[in-house]
Amino acid sequence: MLDGGKMISLDGVGILGGGGGLICLKRRDLGRSYGVCFLKWRYGRPLCAKPVEDESVPVPISAAELSRVAGNAEALERGRWNRESNALPRQLSATDLVAPSQGLNIRVAYQGLPGAFSEAAALKAYPLCETVPCEEFDVTFKAVEMSVVDRAVLPIENSSDGSIHRNYDLLLSHRLHIVGEVQLAVNHCLMALPGVKKEGIKRVLSHPNALAQCEFKLNKLEVIQQNMHDTAGAAQIIASDNLRDAGAIASVQAAEIYGLNILEKGMQDLSDNVTRFLILAREPIIPGTDRPFKTSIVFTLDEGPGVLFKALAVFSLRNISLTKIESRPQRKRPLKVVTDSNHGTAKYFDYLFYIDFEASMIEPRAQNALAHLQ
């Protein structure tokens, strides 16, 4: 193995079966372990090897990492792509016998770093799940598609800022199914390094949406606002770079993880600040009538007077409540040309309409409404 351009010798210590296993590599010159790798073997040769980093905070999955995994289909077998280092199965205990709805043995992806509000939403949906941080929203979709994880939890709407349009667009470009949703009360906290006072903060780092939701109080502090990729990432940077002139807007969990002191809780301008998250999976759930169901659809319409009104009327005629209407321009065909004899040619945006309605697909009224809409 090469270490800084120098060849070093490693001894392998661990367990390998015919299908692969875990191995610990020890440097002969230092007499200490280098790391733990999962090795997958086929026909006497290794197919992949992935170091397991000994860090308390998981490293987010990147698009490049998923691309490397995609190049090796066998590494995507269920349970193979795993960062845990347990080589042998352990005995079940009474605490293991928990209902699947609690998320036992379920891996849930979210965008951001540990301590992000999206991770809190994942744990609210599946309290016993293993959360998996991802760098981008797109990576969380791909992680589910490639069986790296079982579920993804993504924000879709905030009571203050409205819809997260990026995730609406991604829903159409990935073949995943909405299997649930969770609502999370977002409590923004101002935090800084131990010993730093509120008066000593010159700038505040956070996600743009978080900064916007705390605009009134931040303006009173007269600080510079800096956009970051996510709230927990802002807390991490302050801790890792020892920024004593900066604060972060993030969660209570982020302050605990990165060793920051909370200077003020409830920084949001509106006390009732709620974000709605969607839960995505590879396979759809089977709709029933045993509990309330919500159905999400997307469609486009031909141009004409009252066309949208007629489309929405198919639900009203059957006493079906609409809970959400969202429109997004079609990116591949943004403009629609309509001939007008009086004024020549008119151009309109061609829209996609996202609709959430309260009914199960197993109900005849929902089936009839969609047939009428079609």
Side-chain angles (χ1 to χ4, degrees):
M1 178 175 178
L2 290 176
D3 181 16
K6 180 180 69 175
M7 185 68 71
I8 62 174
S9 299
L10 300 174
D11 287 329
V13 181
I15 299 174
L16 280 175
L22 292 159
I23 186 168
C24 180
L25 302 177
K26 180 174 292 185
R27 285 186 56 164
R28 293 177 182 173
D29 56 334
L30 297 181
R32 62 178 174 85
S33 295
Y34 168 77
V36 179
C37 296
F38 176 81
L39 299 179
K40 173 71 178 176
W41 292 82
R42 184 180 181 186
Y43 306 123
R45 61 186 179 87
L47 291 178
C48 69
K50 178 168 182 57
V52 178
E53 302 177 3
D54 183 19
E55 297 183 357
S56 58
V57 180
V59 178
I61 297 176
S62 65
E65 188 172 1
L66 282 181
S67 298
R68 289 194 297 270
V69 177
N72 177 11
E74 289 206 11
L76 297 179
E77 293 174 11
R78 193 173 192 84
R80 295 293 189 186
W81 203 93
N82 197 318
R83 297 183 180 184
E84 295 179 357
S85 59
N86 295 326
L88 297 175
R90 62 180 180 83
Q91 291 178 314
L92 290 177
S93 65
T95 57
D96 295 318
L97 305 178
V98 181
S101 61
Q102 297 296 304
L104 186 66
N105 298 326
I106 290 181
R107 291 166 57 84
V108 182
Y110 66 94
Q111 187 275 327
L113 288 171
F117 290 105
S118 292
E119 184 186 37
L123 291 171
K124 183 177 180 180
Y126 302 101
L128 299 181
C129 74
E130 177 190 352
T131 55
V132 180
C134 299
E135 285 186 343
E136 306 284 349
F137 285 131
D138 189 47
V139 175
T140 63
F141 281 83
K142 293 178 181 177
V144 180
E145 289 177 329
M146 297 166 60
S147 300
V148 172
V149 298
D150 305 290
R151 300 282 191 275
V153 171
L154 295 112
I156 197 69
E157 184 179 22
N158 177 264
S159 58
S160 299
D161 294 336
S163 301
I164 290 88
H165 294 135
R166 173 60 177 160
N167 285 336
Y168 271 104
D169 295 336
L170 288 172
L171 284 172
L172 287 187
S173 59
H174 293 273
R175 299 180 61 86
L176 295 179
H177 300 272
I178 302 173
V179 298
E181 71 176 46
V182 60
Q183 296 183 359
L184 182 74
V186 176
N187 177 23
H188 289 305
C189 301
L190 177 64
M191 59 193 67
L193 289 170
V196 174
K197 305 297 183 182
K198 188 185 297 186
E199 304 79 46
I201 295 177
K202 305 301 180 183
R203 51 190 173 130
V204 172
L205 288 60
S206 195
H207 189 276
N209 289 354
L211 294 173
Q213 292 165 21
C214 305
E215 182 178 9
F216 179 74
K217 290 186 177 180
L218 290 177
N219 287 340
K220 287 184 64 177
L221 290 176
E222 298 181 346
V223 294
I224 299 173
Q225 301 178 29
Q226 292 185 229
N227 293 338
M228 302 298 298
H229 202 52
D230 65 274
T231 55
Q236 185 201 46
I237 286 179
I238 288 179
S240 61
D241 294 354
N242 196 33
L243 303 179
R244 304 198 66 82
D245 67 334
I249 296 292
S251 68
V252 173
Q253 292 76 16
E256 295 173 353
I257 292 172
Y258 303 108
L260 302 181
N261 283 348
I262 295 178
L263 303 178
E264 184 175 347
K265 294 183 178 180
M267 286 289 292
Q268 61 272 9
D269 297 337
L270 301 176
S271 57
D272 294 328
N273 186 28
V274 179
T275 299
R276 184 167 65 97
F277 294 80
L278 297 181
I279 304 172
L280 306 178
R282 289 181 296 279
E283 300 296 333
I285 59 174
I286 300 175
T289 57
D290 56 322
R291 62 186 187 276
F293 273 78
K294 182 186 290 185
T295 302
S296 299
I297 62 172
V298 59
F299 58 90
T300 188
L301 295 169
D302 290 332
E303 191 66 34
V307 175
L308 180 58
F309 171 80
K310 294 174 184 177
L312 300 181
V314 307
F315 301 100
S316 178
L317 290 172
R318 295 164 178 87
N319 199 31
I320 297 175
S321 297
L322 303 182
T323 62
K324 174 69 176 177
I325 303 175
E326 182 74 31
S327 62
R328 297 286 293 151
Q330 290 212 58
R331 292 187 172 186
K332 295 183 179 179
R333 192 182 57 188
L335 292 178
K336 180 182 293 185
V337 179
V338 180
T339 301
D340 188 323
S341 58
N342 293 327
H343 303 91
T345 300
K347 293 184 177 180
Y348 300 91
F349 278 116
D350 195 8
Y351 287 99
L352 291 169
F353 297 95
Y354 295 78
I355 302 291
D356 291 351
F357 61 87
E358 291 182 336
S360 169
M361 282 298 296
I362 202 173
E363 297 180 59
R365 60 176 184 150
Q367 298 173 9
N368 292 336
L370 292 184
H372 192 174
L373 176 64
Q374 197 170 31

